């Protein structure tokens, strides 16, 4: 059998590349004669830089220290491609796992702007920025501040960093804002959320970043204020990505919002791989209804269905009913017996999941999707 192993990263736990290797190891332990191809994926979140690096071996990896989302220094890698494109990943500079503790009102994207500024200084003519896994809901203004934008209140005072401060926004001063590179800025997003409202950045994703109901109300109003001052299109699908960072970079810097999973899949040649595959394995940290809204696994299910290839999903946790497009689903927590056990040995349990999927997908009777339990 020809097997394509194409997982996303398991956020804060294991990279997409390591997840792919572990799943393949488990599969091959049960079926050593199969032809297994690894295609680690990303959707703009954690693992975006690694996905590009795996597909483009001529890329030059650079690493720098920048202020993290809570101001403490973090190390962030980015790529410079031979054609002048720089690939950046918000998760590396401003991601939620970088926080010592959640700070939904004060966390920011300043570090992403520092990386973007360095890429421009290195001669980048185009930026591709993966947006996902953010710690903040600041509308991307932290990054824009690092690029030279000033945000002021009615008294002309500069606002502090963080999304909450946008409630007092009165003026944007772009006098010293660096121009976007000549070939533009492309934003890879993993959600279709607008900037504000019940489906927006604060309401849907704020609680994941520690926001209480009152914080969500405050942040949503702050983002509305940003939209009033900055203009642009706050209702564009994906504008709410990364706490509204997609909106801010689009409205102020002219960036273009595109589906991250699709862009990266095209880059790594997923369509050609699926055309010759018998089975595809994928996975992520948590498989639930949000997985089907532009993320790697949901997008892969659509592509595999079009190619007529059955899909096995391995996830840290499988929440809710498994859709019919999934031929088999395996939860690492179910296999390991607890969340702690799964987190303490993710590659071990991914290998177990690969073995379990090899049995389910090669000996599965016709019928509903299967889910492995101990």
């Amino acid at each position: 059998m020809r097997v394509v192993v194409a997982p996303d990263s398991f956020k804060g736990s294991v990279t997409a590349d390591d997840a792919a290797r572990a799943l393949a190891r488990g599969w091959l332990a049960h079926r050593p004669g199969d032809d297994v191809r690894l295609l680690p994926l990303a959707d703009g979140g954690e693992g975006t830089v690694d996905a590009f690096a795996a597909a483009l071996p001529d890329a030059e990896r650079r690493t720098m220290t920048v202020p993290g989302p809570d101001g403490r220094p973090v190390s962030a890698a980015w790529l410079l491609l031979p054609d002048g494109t720089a690939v950046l990943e918000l998760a590396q500079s401003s991601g939620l796992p970088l926080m010592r503790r959640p700070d939904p009102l004060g966390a920011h994207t300043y570090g992403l702007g520092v990386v973007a500024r360095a890429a421009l200084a290195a001669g980048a003519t185009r930026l591709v920025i993966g947006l996902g896994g953010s710690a903040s809901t600041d509308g991307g203004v932290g990054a824009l501040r690092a690029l030279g934008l000033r945000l002021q209140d009615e008294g002309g005072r500069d606002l502090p960093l963080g999304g909450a401060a946008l409630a007092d926004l009165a003026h944007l001063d772009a006098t010293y804002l660096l121009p976007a590179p000549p070939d533009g800025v492309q934003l890879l997003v993993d959600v279709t959320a607008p900037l504000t409202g019940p489906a927006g950045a604060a309401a849907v994703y704020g609680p994941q970043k520690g926001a209480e109901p009152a914080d969500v109300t405050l942040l949503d109003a702050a983002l509305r204020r940003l939209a009033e001052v900055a203009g642009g299109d706050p209702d564009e699908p994906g504008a709410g990505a990364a706490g509204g960072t997609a909106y801010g970079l689009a409205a102020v810097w002219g960036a273009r919002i595109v589906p991250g999973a699709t862009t990266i899949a095209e880059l790594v040649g997923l369509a050609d791989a699926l055309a010759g595959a018998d089975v595809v394995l994928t996975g992520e940290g948590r498989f639930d209804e949000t997985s089907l809204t532009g993320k790697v696994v949901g997008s892969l299910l659509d592509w595999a269905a079009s190619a007529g290839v059955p899909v096995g999903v391995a996830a840290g946790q499988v929440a809710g009913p498994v859709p019919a497009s999934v031929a088999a689903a395996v939860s690492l927590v179910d296999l390991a017996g607890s969340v702690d056990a799964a987190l303490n040995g993710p590659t071990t349990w991914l290998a177990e999941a690969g073995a379990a999927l090899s049995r389910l997908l090669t000996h599965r009777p016709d019928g509903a999707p299967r889910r492995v339990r101990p």
Side-chain angles (χ1 to χ4, degrees):
M1 295 180 67
R2 292 184 179 180
V3 183
V4 174
V5 186
D8 195 357
S9 65
F10 286 55
K11 187 180 296 183
S13 176
V14 62
T15 66
D17 184 57
D18 287 342
R21 293 177 187 279
L23 284 168
R25 185 168 66 250
W27 182 282
L28 290 168
H30 184 240
R31 295 181 57 88
D34 285 349
D35 176 11
V36 177
R37 180 177 177 183
L38 307 187
L39 280 178
L41 297 177
D43 53 18
E46 183 180 283
T48 296
V49 164
D50 289 339
F52 273 88
L56 302 170
D58 292 336
E60 178 186 344
R61 182 185 290 264
R62 301 191 179 189
T63 303
M64 58 187 299
T65 300
V66 302
D70 59 6
R72 294 180 301 121
V74 300
S75 179
W78 60 280
L79 302 177
L80 185 61
L81 310 187
D83 68 356
T85 297
V87 180
L88 285 58
E89 179 182 316
L90 178 145
Q92 294 216 19
S93 59
S94 309
L96 184 59
L98 302 175
M99 299 285 289
R100 179 173 290 162
R101 63 183 62 86
D103 182 7
L105 303 183
H108 56 77
T109 54
Y110 191 88
L112 174 64
V114 174
V115 178
R117 193 176 189 108
L120 295 176
T125 57
R126 181 170 76 115
L127 300 184
V128 174
I129 306 177
L131 298 183
S134 71
S136 61
T137 310
D138 76 344
V141 298
L144 290 165
R145 272 189 57 174
L147 291 163
L149 183 71
R150 294 185 66 188
L151 298 95
Q152 301 168 322
D153 63 16
E154 284 288 0
R157 294 177 292 269
D158 289 334
L159 298 181
L161 290 167
L166 293 172
D168 296 322
L169 178 64
H171 307 287
L172 294 177
D173 180 356
T175 303
Y176 300 105
L177 177 65
L178 292 178
D183 294 331
V185 180
Q186 194 174 52
L187 307 175
L188 309 182
V189 305
D190 61 353
V191 299
T192 56
L195 178 66
T196 60
V204 176
Y205 303 103
Q208 300 173 8
K209 305 169 187 181
E212 300 293 337
D215 299 328
V216 169
T217 300
L218 189 159
L219 289 167
D220 190 66
L223 292 175
R224 288 183 187 278
R225 181 57 185 160
L226 173 62
E228 290 171 359
V229 176
D233 184 4
D235 295 324
E236 179 180 2
T245 298
Y247 163 77
L249 293 179
V252 178
W253 221 30
R256 187 164 62 94
I257 300 172
V258 299
T262 301
T263 301
I264 294 173
E266 290 173 353
L267 172 77
V268 302
L270 180 63
D272 289 341
L274 290 178
D278 296 301
V279 171
V280 60
L281 307 183
T282 188
E284 62 183 343
R286 179 181 173 87
F287 181 69
D288 57 24
E289 66 277 2
T290 68
S291 302
L292 309 179
T293 60
K295 295 182 180 293
V296 163
V297 174
S299 299
L300 184 61
L301 288 172
D302 293 338
W303 299 324
S306 297
V309 183
V311 180
V313 173
Q317 293 179 298
V318 178
V322 177
S325 54
V326 177
V330 178
S331 162
L332 305 192
V333 170
D334 287 349
L335 290 175
S338 71
V339 172
D340 287 343
L343 288 173
N344 286 335
T347 55
T348 297
W349 295 109
L350 277 164
E352 290 291 330
L357 288 170
S358 72
R359 293 188 290 270
L360 286 168
L361 293 169
T362 56
H363 299 99
R364 184 178 66 89
D366 290 340
R370 299 280 301 279
R371 177 173 172 180
V372 174
R373 292 185 180 276

